[in-house]
Amino acid sequence: MRAFREAVEAGDLDAVEALLAEDVVFSSPVAFKPYSGRAVTAAILRGVAWVFEDFRYERELADADGRGHALVFRARVGERELTGCDFIRLDAGGRIDELTVMVRPLSGAQALAAAMGAQFDRITREATERSV
């Protein structure tokens, strides 16, 4: 999904948020339950932007119907390098209604979990403020 990729690469998180469906479901690589809704998903993505360093997409794959996409990335969290993939599904209106992120190796996922855990209060506040 070119628009999402370009917005992320440009650091334009408002543009990323505008691409999300109101009822988007975000599945984190480090949380058991998915998060539902644009406000919380946008807040999480802003948190990720704070903790990822040297983020870059390396490859993009798409389903034949154009609704499913996979964006392979590399990044660093502290001293840990990680590889990941954003799996994106678009609704009939072209908005992102499902975003699933996977990362590896385990040490990278653990570093991401710790860094995002430190952002949790800010993410919760932002999501609450945006959903009002």
Side-chain angles (χ1 to χ4, degrees):
M1 147 145 245
R2 183 160 306 289
F4 180 83
R5 179 179 181 164
E6 289 175 355
V8 170
E9 289 174 335
D12 188 349
L13 298 173
D14 291 335
V16 170
E17 184 174 359
L19 296 168
L20 302 174
E22 192 63 42
D23 60 348
V24 63
V25 175
F26 175 78
S27 296
S28 165
V30 296
F32 177 72
K33 289 185 175 183
Y35 298 90
S36 295
R38 180 185 299 159
V40 69
T41 299
I44 291 168
L45 294 176
R46 281 182 171 80
V48 170
W50 277 96
V51 302
F52 273 171
E53 299 173 58
D54 302 326
F55 180 90
R56 65 203 173 278
Y57 283 117
E58 295 189 329
R59 191 171 48 211
E60 183 173 343
L61 308 163
D63 285 346
D65 67 4
R67 290 183 63 189
H69 301 267
L71 301 172
V72 179
F73 65 85
R74 288 194 183 270
R76 189 169 45 82
V77 177
E79 295 181 16
R80 298 291 180 195
E81 298 280 332
L82 58 88
T83 301
C85 191
D86 292 335
F87 294 96
I88 299 168
R89 190 183 73 190
L90 304 178
D91 64 16
R95 296 226 186 270
I96 298 169
D97 68 353
E98 188 176 302
L99 175 56
T100 300
V101 180
M102 294 185 185
V103 297
R104 66 161 308 281
L106 179 58
S107 61
Q110 290 168 328
L112 178 60
M116 289 301 291
Q119 298 280 324
F120 187 75
D121 289 340
R122 188 198 57 76
I123 289 168
T124 302
R125 276 193 313 275
E126 181 180 329
T128 301
E129 290 169 3
R130 288 183 173 269
S131 64
V132 175

